[in-house]
Amino acid sequence: MDTLFDFYRDGGTALIVLVFASFGVAGLVKGVIGLGLPTVSIALLSVAMAPPQAAALLIIPSMVTNVWQLAAGGRFLYLLRRLWTMLAGIAIGTWLAGLWLAGRETAWAGHALGAALLIYAAIGLSAVRLNVPLRVQGWAGPVVGATTGAITSATGVFVIPAVPYLQALGLDRNELVQAMGLAFTASTIALAGDLIHGGQLGGREAWASLLALVPALAGMMAGQWLRHRVSATTFRRILFIGIGALGVHLLLAG
C-alpha cells in the first residue's frame, strides 16, 4: 500500500482529490463522446503539475479505456490496414520529438498544451466538416501521425491533428469510434516509451497511474449511462467551451 501512494505523499490529500476528480471528469467525457480522456485529465492536472508528470499518470487509464474502446466494432483489421501508416507516423513522431526534447527546457510545454486545447476547442465548436480525398490519404496519414506524435511528446495530448483527420475520412460512427481507439492506443504506447526513456515514468508513477484507473473507469461507466439521457450536442458544446477556457488559462499562465 505504501508503494501505491508514494507518488501522492508530497501533495497529500489535495493531490489525491485533484487526480481522482480529474480522471473522474475525463472518464465521464470519454464515456459520453468516445474521446477526451487525455485532453481533459491533462488539462485539469496541468494547473498543478508539469505536462510530462500529468502524462505519466495518464498511461494506464488511457491504455485500458482505449483498448476497451478498440475492442468494440469488429473492424479492427480493416482499420489497421487503412491506418497503419498514420500509426507508424505517430510512433516515429513521438520518438523523434522525445529525442529532440530530451534535456531541453520544457517550460513552454504548458503554453503549447494551451494552444493545442484552443485549436481542439475551436474545431469542436465550429461547423466546419473536413474531408480528406482518398488520393491524398497515402501521404497525409503519415504526416498527420508524425505531427500528432510530436505534439503528444511535448504535451501528452494526442487528439490534434489525429481526431480531425479521422473525422474527415468518411468512416461510419462505429468505425470512427474504433479508429480513434486504435490511434489513441498507439499514441499511449508511444508516449509510455517516451516517458520511460526520459525517466519520467518509473515505478512510483506507474502505481499512481494504476490508482487513477479507478476514477477513470467509474467516470467512463457513468458517461456511458449519461450518453442516453443528455443531448450529445449540448454536452459537446459545454465540453469544448470548458476546454477552450482551460486552453486560454494555460496559454497565458503556462
Side-chain angles (χ1 to χ4, degrees):
M1 188 63 70
D2 286 344
T3 304
L4 190 62
F5 287 96
D6 276 353
F7 179 88
Y8 300 99
R9 221 172 282 284
D10 292 339
T13 303
L15 180 60
I16 295 176
V17 171
L18 173 64
V19 170
F20 268 61
S22 298
F23 279 99
V25 171
L28 180 74
V29 170
K30 186 174 180 69
V32 173
I33 66 174
L35 70 157
L37 182 75
T39 311
V40 175
S41 60
I42 289 183
L44 294 174
L45 291 171
S46 291
V47 302
M49 62 182 72
Q53 191 177 29
L57 293 181
L58 169 71
I59 296 301
I60 293 178
S62 179
M63 181 62 69
V64 172
T65 56
N66 287 331
V67 170
W68 180 354
Q69 181 175 333
L70 173 61
R75 299 285 280 168
F76 174 76
L77 292 179
Y78 163 75
L79 292 170
L80 185 62
R81 286 193 300 268
R82 185 168 180 181
L83 301 174
W84 74 267
T85 56
M86 187 190 79
L87 302 178
I90 288 173
I92 293 170
T94 304
W95 178 66
L96 290 178
L99 288 178
W100 184 77
L101 290 170
R104 294 176 182 266
E105 175 60 48
T106 58
W108 54 268
H111 300 291
L113 175 57
L117 293 177
L118 270 178
I119 294 170
Y120 182 47
I123 292 173
L125 289 170
S126 73
V128 175
R129 294 296 177 263
L130 303 175
N131 178 58
V132 180
L134 185 62
R135 66 180 182 275
V136 305
Q137 291 176 22
W139 62 263
V143 171
V144 168
T147 305
T148 301
I151 293 174
T152 298
S153 183
T155 68
V157 174
F158 35 78
V159 295
I160 299 293
V163 169
Y165 174 77
L166 291 174
Q167 291 172 331
L169 293 182
L171 302 171
D172 67 37
R173 181 176 179 179
N174 291 333
E175 287 176 344
L176 177 60
V177 170
Q178 193 170 23
M180 289 192 298
L182 183 59
F184 296 161
T185 299
S187 292
T188 303
I189 294 171
L191 178 61
D194 192 24
L195 293 171
I196 291 171
H197 181 264
Q200 294 147 329
L201 178 57
R204 64 197 297 270
E205 290 83 10
W207 281 110
S209 182
L210 180 62
L211 190 61
L213 177 62
V214 176
L217 288 178
M220 189 170 178
M221 288 187 285
Q224 290 174 335
W225 176 86
L226 189 63
R227 181 189 298 170
H228 304 290
R229 291 164 176 81
V230 176
S231 165
T233 302
T234 300
F235 187 89
R236 285 176 65 89
R237 186 175 297 118
I238 295 171
L239 167 67
F240 285 120
I241 290 173
I243 288 176
L246 279 170
V248 171
H249 169 76
L250 290 171
L251 192 59
L252 296 177

